[in-house]
Each structure stands twice: as structure tokens, then as C-alpha cells.
Amino acid sequence: MAKKVPLFIDGQFVDSETHEWIDVTNPATNTVIAECPVTPDAEIERAIASAKAAQKHWREIAVPERARYLMRYQELLKAHQEAIAQTLAEETGKTFTDAKGEVWRGIEVVEHAMGLPTHLMGETLANVAANIDTTSWRQPLGVCAGITPFNFPAMIPLWMFPLAIGCGNAFVLKPSEQDPLTPMCLAELFAQAEFPAGLLQIVHGRKAQVDALLKHPDIRAVSFVGSPAAGQHIYRTATAQFKRVQCMVGAKNHMVVMPDADKQQVIDHLAGAACGAAGQRCMAISVAVLVGKQTRSWVDELHAAMAKLRPGPATDPAAAYGPLISRRALTRVERIIGEAAREGAKILLDGRGCSVAGFPEGNWLGPTLIDEVTPAMSCYREEIFGPVLAVMHVADLDQAIERVNSNPYGNGTSIFTASGAAARKYRQAIEVGQIGVNLPIPVPLPFFAFTGSKGSFYGDLHAYGKDAVRFYTETKTVIERWFETGTAAGSRPNMTIN
Ligand code: NAD
């Protein structure tokens, strides 16, 4: 029998009393490796009540002491990086190298959170008026919630709860039901770091369980990462309850290739950025915008480079990437490739029908290269989330900028060029939140914020960086005047009010 994924409530791993379970599968074999509970309302209520009680004490714990808990947590995560990566690779299908890299990106956020005593400092100014001083303090909100996607089950929860908790909050996480085992590894180490019980709670499920969090009066702020459809529902529902909300959603990331770019760099990076992690990254490059006539001939070499990449199981060190997360995801991507062919695009490399020896049931898709793509085609309009690269051709940089800016998404983009002037023009004109110059996937390290924009983000304050500290705190401003007893100034009534 597949193991049952527990809940993490009040510092304990507890079995849900639900009668509804969701299969968690290994995407390379489609065997069921665990069952994830659809958490009943009463258990969600218990998690929130425990978080609320724990936060009351936690907010009074000295800020450097809170940072010391995070230091212990960071040490444990580092010590168990490989073990977490093993679980992650099994339930997501990622290659082991990729899985380890993901855990590391999460650890970096915890390292950043260890510096919270500095980031939490407010501002002061003496003598804003005669004898009057002003101080602003950053104070925790209370209980915050996070809803996370399947594609980074370690990194994205770690974008959220270490910073929220370090800021003095408690946190209720509802991870993806497709890979809930990795977040439970994070919870085990959280418990080992001996954080006070109740600061981190994990409940499982789908939309109904998310809705229970969104509508609960004790949840003050909601962080979401996932698809636009879910993000729109979450943003609307939670803001209607007057909660603070940040939603990091879908993407369509373009790489603009100027004719003066280093051809080999372009080809290597395009192939890797499109197919790495099976294209299931919100910062994957899914569109190459080739500028000018001479770059047309580069498509043949791109084709050759992509054809060399082959998917495989996490245990195969030669595999470039793993399977798609589910049969459903595979069918969807295959449908989009079929539509591209019918709509007149050229399928130069077709990954459909891919097989991997020894893993006949896996959700495999070979690298796919689609040329002559136009904006009206579904392979351009939809976020594909597979190892699929669409190629478009434009005459000059102005047309490339126009192409990228007319796309509704704004998560990431990059330009490859030898010209500083072209790079500068691009970064000034482009309406995308994260821009790489001669590097394909510009994900900021955690001391900067993750600044996707336009249709890729709903909210004001982004994930991690200084934004996260603002998101997970309330600013309280104190304006003070002290009287020296017995002075004339102390007894004079103030007749001005402003
Ligand atoms: P998803 O929206 O299906 O699921 C994400 C989470 O939301 C899960 O926990 C799921 O249970 C929950 N959920 C699903 N439907 C819901 C609904 N209707 N109401 C409330 N909750 C709901 O996303 P996914 O397939 O797990 O992840 C892939 C998506 O995430 C892609 O669109 C990708 O671009 C996006 N993503 C964005 C970023 C970013 O930073 N912008 C990062 C990673 C992934």
C-alpha cells in the first residue's frame, strides 16, 4: 500500500481523518508512491487555530533569536540536501542534479532570512517638529498562508515560510497535491530545528482547501505561485476578504537573438533554457525571437543541439531532463504541438511519441522545435510548460521589442547581443520584470526580489528580497513628544492640528 502523506499540525505529523485521497505518482513510471489527503475543514481549522496561538508567543521572541532558529534550519537543510533531492526527484521526475540545484536555491532564501534582524529595522527621524521624534517599526501580521505549485516543491515553499516566520508570523502551507512529499521533508527538518510548535502548518488538498484558507478571518496574507487561472481566483477571493495577496503566475519568456550575438552561446543556452527541467519552469525560455536574415541559418544548428538532448529518469546521470509531471500535462502539450502543425508552423523536431528504455509508462516528451510561429497560434498564446521551443523571426530590434511587449506575460526575457547599445535599448523598452543580458534565465538571488510583472504577477510586493519583508510585516509609526516636567512648554496647549 502507498504511504499516506501526513498533515503537519501543531508541530506534529498527524494522519488526516479524510476519506478522500489523491494519488501521488512517480512521473517516470506512473506508479503510485503516496496518497495525499484532501484535508477536511475541521483539520484546516485546527491548523489555523494552532498557528494563531503559536504566533502570539513567537512575535515576542527576540528577533536575533528568531534568526538563530533559521540558522539551525539552514544547517539542517544543507546537511539533508541530497535526501530532500532524492524525494524531490522521485515525485517530480527531475534529474538528480536539477533536484539538488532546486534545494540549493531554497537554502539560499533561508540564508537570506537569517539576515532579517537587519532587514526588519524601521526608520527614525528626530525633531520632525519641535521636540517631536518619529519612528517606524516593522511588525508581524499574524498568520500568513502559502499555496504552491508542483514545479518547485522545495524552492517555492522556501521562498515563503522562512521569511514569513522570520518576520514574526506563523504560516500555513498548502503545497501542490502532485508532489507533497518534498514539502513534508522541509517540515521534518523544521521540527528538528526545534522551532516552537505551530509556527509552520501543512495542510493538503485542492481548490476547496485553498478556499478555506482564503476565506478564513485569521489568515492575514496569502502568497500564491501557480497558474494564471488559479491565481486570478485566489487574488479576487482573498482581496475581496481584504487580505494582502501576492500571486506569481504563468509566463511566456522570449529570448531575443541579435545577429551580432555569439552563435554558440545562443544555441547552447536556448537548448538548455527551453528543455531544462522538461520546460516546466516559469522562467524557461519558450520563444526564440531571431532578429535579421542571417540568424535564420542558426535554426539548423539549434535543431542539432536540441536533438542531442534526451529525457530520462532521475537515476540516469546522462538524462538532460525528466518526464512531465503527469499524463494530463503530457496530453496537453502534445495537443498544442498538434495544433501548431495544423495552424501552419513547421515542426522541425517533434518530441511526441518519445520512449525511454525501461520506463514504458513515463510521461516522456522529446525536445520539440517549432519554427515559423506566429502570434495567433496556440503554441504562442498558451503557456506550454514542456520542452518545446517556438521560433519567430523579426527584421530588427524594434520589431523584437514590439513582439515581446505585446505578449500579456512579463515574467522573464533575455537578449543575446555583442552590442551594449542594443542591450541597453532592450532593457529600457521592454515591459518584462526580469531581464537577462547574454544569460537566458535571469532569476534574481534572494536579496533581490523575484520581480515578474504584467500578466505574470498580481499584487504589489513580490516574493523574497526586501519586498517579502514588507509583504510579511505591517509598518507601525510612532510619533513621540516628551515633556520636561514643570517647563512652560509642557503646559502650553497646542492649537494647531494637521
Ligand atoms: P496550479 O495553479 O495548477 O496549482 C498551484 C497550486 O494552486 C496548487 O497548490 C493547487 O492545488 C492550487 N490550485 C489549483 N487550482 C486552484 C484553484 N482553482 N483555486 C485555488 N487553488 C488552486 O499550478 P501548477 O500546475 O502546479 O504550476 C504550474 C504553474 O505555475 C505555471 O503556470 C507556472 O508558470 C506557474 N509558476 C509561476 C512561477 C512564478 O514565479 N511566476 C513559479 C513557478 C510556477
Side-chain angles (χ1 to χ4, degrees):
M1 248 182 65
K3 66 182 162 205
K4 300 227 183 283
V5 183
L7 306 168
F8 187 50
I9 296 184
D10 204 26
Q12 304 292 319
F13 292 92
V14 291
D15 290 334
S16 173
E17 290 182 3
T18 187
H19 299 295
E20 200 184 341
W21 298 84
I22 304 165
D23 286 347
V24 180
T25 54
N26 175 337
T29 59
N30 270 310
T31 49
V32 176
I33 53 175
E35 288 183 56
C36 176
V38 176
T39 313
D41 284 353
E43 290 169 352
I44 294 179
E45 190 62 49
R46 222 169 76 217
I48 298 173
S50 158
K52 190 177 175 186
Q55 196 269 340
K56 282 211 165 67
H57 298 289
W58 180 243
R59 61 171 295 137
E60 301 305 333
I61 300 284
V63 179
E65 188 56 22
R66 299 204 299 242
R68 278 179 211 114
Y69 281 100
L70 288 162
M71 287 175 204
R72 274 202 296 277
Y73 190 44
Q74 177 254 18
E75 276 168 24
L76 285 162
L77 288 167
K78 277 186 180 160
H80 293 82
Q81 185 187 357
E82 298 224 341
I84 303 168
Q86 238 137 26
T87 301
L88 197 157
E90 189 187 11
E91 65 176 347
T92 62
K94 282 189 187 186
T95 64
F96 187 62
T97 313
D98 211 6
K100 258 179 83 176
E102 176 188 336
V103 179
W104 181 254
R105 293 309 297 260
I107 291 171
E108 287 179 326
V109 183
V110 183
E111 283 179 349
H112 172 61
M114 285 154 43
L116 275 171
T118 306
H119 305 309
L120 281 166
M121 290 195 304
E123 296 173 325
T124 59
L125 186 63
N127 279 335
V128 292
N131 293 327
I132 296 182
D133 307 327
T134 301
T135 309
S136 70
W137 312 81
R138 292 209 170 279
Q139 301 219 314
L141 299 174
V143 184
C144 305
I147 297 118
T148 52
F150 81 83
N151 66 329
F152 287 104
M155 181 185 80
I156 291 180
L158 289 170
W159 279 7
M160 299 176 182
F161 71 80
L163 284 160
I165 290 172
C167 287
N169 303 288
F171 199 85
V172 183
L173 176 68
K174 204 301 287 170
S176 171
E177 66 281 17
Q178 298 192 84
D179 45 17
L181 295 169
T182 306
M184 297 320 290
C185 298
L186 303 180
E188 269 167 39
L189 298 176
F190 190 86
Q192 280 180 36
E194 295 180 347
F195 279 91
L199 289 180
L200 174 65
Q201 314 270 342
I202 303 188
V203 297
H204 300 284
R206 305 189 179 100
K207 178 176 183 297
Q209 290 61 48
V210 172
D211 284 346
L213 296 174
L214 302 181
K215 292 185 177 155
H216 199 287
D218 289 333
I219 300 288
R220 294 285 318 280
V222 178
S223 301
F224 169 77
V225 179
S227 62
Q232 283 166 20
H233 165 73
I234 286 169
Y235 194 76
R236 289 197 180 106
T237 310
T239 52
Q241 308 285 323
F242 307 109
K243 296 185 194 308
R244 194 175 286 196
V245 191
Q246 53 175 196
C247 291
M248 282 61 76
V249 295
K252 198 80 186 170
N253 305 314
H254 301 68
M255 178 163 141
V256 171
V257 178
M258 297 298 287
D260 62 3
D262 181 316
K263 185 172 67 172
Q264 201 50 50
Q265 289 280 342
V266 166
I267 286 162
D268 292 348
H269 282 299
L270 263 179
C275 298
Q280 299 176 118
R281 293 194 282 218
C282 67
M283 290 292 279
I285 292 292
S286 51
V287 186
V289 182
L290 305 188
V291 178
K293 284 201 181 78
Q294 74 208 71
T295 55
R296 281 191 171 262
S297 63
W298 298 12
V299 175
D300 291 341
E301 283 168 73
L302 181 59
H303 177 281
M306 284 178 67
K308 282 190 204 140
L309 303 178
R310 57 170 191 79
T315 44
D316 177 359
Y321 62 89
L324 296 195
I325 188 70
S326 64
R327 270 288 154 75
R328 200 160 135 245
L330 177 63
T331 307
R332 187 183 154 274
V333 179
E334 288 182 337
R335 189 251 308 155
I336 295 173
I337 299 170
E339 281 171 7
R342 283 194 294 283
E343 289 168 345
K346 287 189 191 156
I347 314 291
L348 301 182
L349 192 59
D350 189 344
R352 288 174 295 174
C354 172
S355 62
V356 170
F359 295 84
E361 299 299 327
N363 310 319
W364 307 112
L365 186 74
T368 300
L369 181 61
I370 311 179
D371 199 6
E372 306 292 350
V373 170
T374 66
M377 294 176 180
S378 63
C379 67
Y380 184 73
R381 283 183 286 108
E382 291 188 44
E383 181 183 28
I384 300 181
F385 236 51
V388 180
L389 182 64
V391 179
M392 303 177 109
H393 301 272
V394 296
D396 55 30
L397 181 58
D398 287 331
Q399 280 188 14
I401 291 169
E402 163 65 22
R403 161 70 38 251
V404 180
N405 282 348
S406 52
N407 190 284
Y409 291 114
N411 217 30
T413 185
S414 68
I415 181 168
F416 273 62
T417 180
S419 159
R424 185 176 188 284
K425 179 172 179 173
Y426 190 72
R427 74 171 156 76
Q428 282 291 103
I430 214 70
E431 294 160 4
V432 173
Q434 302 174 109
I435 303 160
V437 176
N438 294 319
L439 52 90
I441 301 191
V443 178
L445 282 161
F447 21 92
F448 292 93
F450 186 92
T451 53
S453 62
K454 253 168 62 177
S456 295
F457 177 70
Y458 317 134
D460 314 284
L461 295 166
H462 295 85
Y464 60 78
K466 291 189 182 113
D467 270 20
V469 177
R470 294 194 187 104
F471 185 78
Y472 292 124
T473 59
E474 199 92 82
T475 303
K476 188 187 270 180
T477 307
V478 180
I479 303 172
E480 290 178 272
R481 179 168 56 176
W482 293 93
F483 303 107
E484 287 181 36
T485 45
T487 61
S491 56
R492 201 182 307 137
N494 185 355
M495 303 304 288
T496 58
I497 296 174
N498 49 33

